[in-house]
Amino acid sequence: MTFTLDDAIRIAKEAHGTQVDKSGRPYIGHPIRVMGKVDGNHEKMAAVLHDVIEDTHVTAEDLRKAGCPEPVVTSVIALSKTKGEPMPDYLARVATDPVAVVVKRADIADNSDPLRMSALPVETQERLRVKYADALELLDELTR
């Protein structure tokens, strides 16, 4: 049985379950929007799954057992920041995987969308603007 994009979406929906984002909306909307910003089947799978290892009970081994293609699992691992990991170390890992780079840029674009940001407190908006701008700048440097 071949693992499909629908399988990846199902896993993401089940894993994120009742999680909500910073503005109180269902969290699954974020990975679905990120998926919509990238092209290619593996890119879309990695995009919709990009937060499952980091933010849910799902592990890389769970993805493998479900039949997720190894290149997708590798990209999702690259996109999964570990607790306490410095941002430069995390982005250096992302930069080693071309699919992860594409997904991370789409992730940052969605996270910094003005409409989405406007739902957050002003202090949070400013902190996140700086965080995302710094992340993009570093990612650009690492991928030149």
Side-chain angles (χ1 to χ4, degrees):
M1 186 159 166
T2 303
F3 189 88
T4 66
L5 180 56
D6 285 341
D7 294 322
I9 293 168
R10 179 186 45 75
I11 289 170
K13 284 182 176 179
E14 288 173 6
H16 290 296
T18 60
Q19 290 177 337
V20 294
D21 65 16
K22 289 177 180 75
S23 63
R25 295 187 184 119
Y27 189 82
I28 190 61
H30 168 64
I32 296 288
R33 287 189 304 274
V34 173
M35 180 185 71
K37 294 178 188 309
V38 300
D39 296 317
N41 203 41
H42 281 185
E43 289 83 351
K44 287 185 178 297
M45 286 182 193
V48 78
L49 294 169
H50 81 273
D51 280 335
V52 296
I53 293 174
E54 182 177 334
D55 294 338
T56 78
H57 65 281
V58 174
T59 66
E61 192 52 37
D62 293 333
L63 294 177
R64 289 182 181 107
K65 285 179 184 172
C68 188
E70 189 60 31
V72 174
V73 176
T74 300
S75 295
V76 174
I77 291 168
L79 288 158
S80 300
K81 190 172 183 295
T82 59
K83 188 171 184 164
E85 183 177 25
M87 187 62 71
D89 294 352
Y90 164 64
L91 291 174
R93 186 176 60 256
V94 169
T96 66
D97 184 303
V99 170
V101 170
V102 168
V103 172
K104 187 63 188 172
R105 289 183 193 283
D107 176 39
I108 292 171
D110 185 65
N111 281 331
S112 31
D113 178 85
L115 185 59
R116 209 166 162 219
M117 293 281 268
S118 69
L120 303 174
V122 175
E123 330 61 76
T124 303
Q125 288 180 43
E126 193 50 42
R127 179 181 58 78
L128 292 176
R129 269 199 250 308
V130 170
K131 174 185 171 183
Y132 298 137
D134 289 350
L136 274 180
E137 185 178 327
L138 182 54
L139 195 55
D140 286 346
E141 289 174 20
L142 292 166
T143 56
R144 277 193 194 123

